[in-house]
Amino acid sequence: LQYSPDDDTMLYGSLSSGFKGGGFDARILVANEEQFEYDSEKALSAEIGGKFSVAQNQAELNIALFYTEIDDLQVSTFDGYTGFVVGNAAKMVSQGVETDTRWLATQWLTVVGSLAYLDAKFTSFEDAGCTNAQFVAYELQHPGKRAECAQDMSGRRVFLAPEWTASLAFITSKDLGDSLVLNSGLDFNFRDNYYLDADDDTHLLQPAF
C-alpha cells in the first residue's frame, strides 16, 4: 500500500510471504534419516515507512520499520568432525529500523548517510550445533558420539547480523572545463560485532569495526 499526501511525502506499508525449498545434505556423517533431509523454510515479512523530500528538494530522508519471521530457517553448522551440515532452526525473528538520507549541500557536494538497528534472534532453536569446546567436552563423556552434541540457542542472536550499522559518504562533482568532470568520494562505514557461525562460538565473534 502506498499513499502520497503531497508531492514531498510518500508513505507505504507492505506484507509479504515466501519460502525456500528444502533438500538433502549428502555430507552428513550421522546415520540419522531425519538429519539427512532438511525442510523448507517459510517467511512472513511486514514493513512500514516513508520517503520525504525536505529543504526545498535539496535533501531526501527515508525511514523504514521492518519485521520478518522465519519458520524452519535453514542453517549450516559444524558437525564436530570436518564438515558442515545443513539443518533447520525452529524459528527466528528479525526486526528493526533503518534510515538513510541524501543531501545536496552545495552544487558540487552531496552528503549521504545511513543508520540501521537490527534485532535478529532465534526464538526457538533447541538442537543447534555445538562449539568446538562443547564437542570436545561431549566426546569425553560420550566417546564416538560427538556428532550428537547439541545446544539450545533459543533467544540468542542470529549469526552474521550486527546490531548496529552506519555509513557516511561525501561525494563531490566538479566541472573541469566543457568536456571533463572530476568525481570523488570519501566513505566511512561501521559494523557492530557479530558471530560468524550459528553456534555463537566466542572464537568466531567478529569485533565491531
Side-chain angles (χ1 to χ4, degrees), residues 54-61 100-113 168-171:
V54 295
Q56 298 180 335
N57 293 325
Q58 286 187 285
E60 300 172 352
L61 175 64
D100 64 86
T101 184
R102 185 179 182 91
W103 174 41
L104 183 62
T106 69
Q107 290 185 341
W108 57 271
L109 174 63
T110 301
V111 181
V112 181
L168 181 64
F170 300 92
I171 304 169

Side-chain angles (χ1 to χ4, degrees), residues 3-11 52:
Y3 172 62
S4 297
D6 54 55
D7 292 340
D8 298 327
T9 305
M10 190 273 279
L11 307 175
F52 310 93

Side-chain angles (χ1 to χ4, degrees), residues 18 24 26 30 36 41 46 55 59 67 70 81 84 109 122 130 143 153-154 156 159 161 172 185 189 197-198 206:
F24 304 91
V30 180
F36 175 62
E41 63 178 41
Y67 176 89
I70 301 179
Y81 292 98
F84 288 80
L109 174 63
F122 293 110
C130 290
M153 290 283 292
S154 302
R156 304 284 291 275
F159 62 106
T172 66
N189 294 282
D197 203 358
Q206 167 64 55

Side-chain angles (χ1 to χ4, degrees), residues 126-181:
E126 297 179 356
D127 56 351
C130 290
T131 65
N132 271 332
Q134 290 170 334
F135 275 123
V136 171
Y138 193 88
E139 174 76 16
L140 291 175
Q141 296 181 8
H142 308 84
K145 297 183 178 181
R146 67 184 302 168
E148 297 177 4
C149 181
Q151 63 169 320
D152 188 355
M153 290 283 292
S154 302
R156 304 284 291 275
R157 284 172 55 185
V158 175
F159 62 106
L160 300 178
E163 189 174 27
W164 289 98
T165 58
S167 67
L168 181 64
F170 300 92
I171 304 169
T172 66
S173 180
K174 189 71 173 178
D175 291 334
L176 300 179
D178 296 332
S179 59
L180 187 63
V181 178

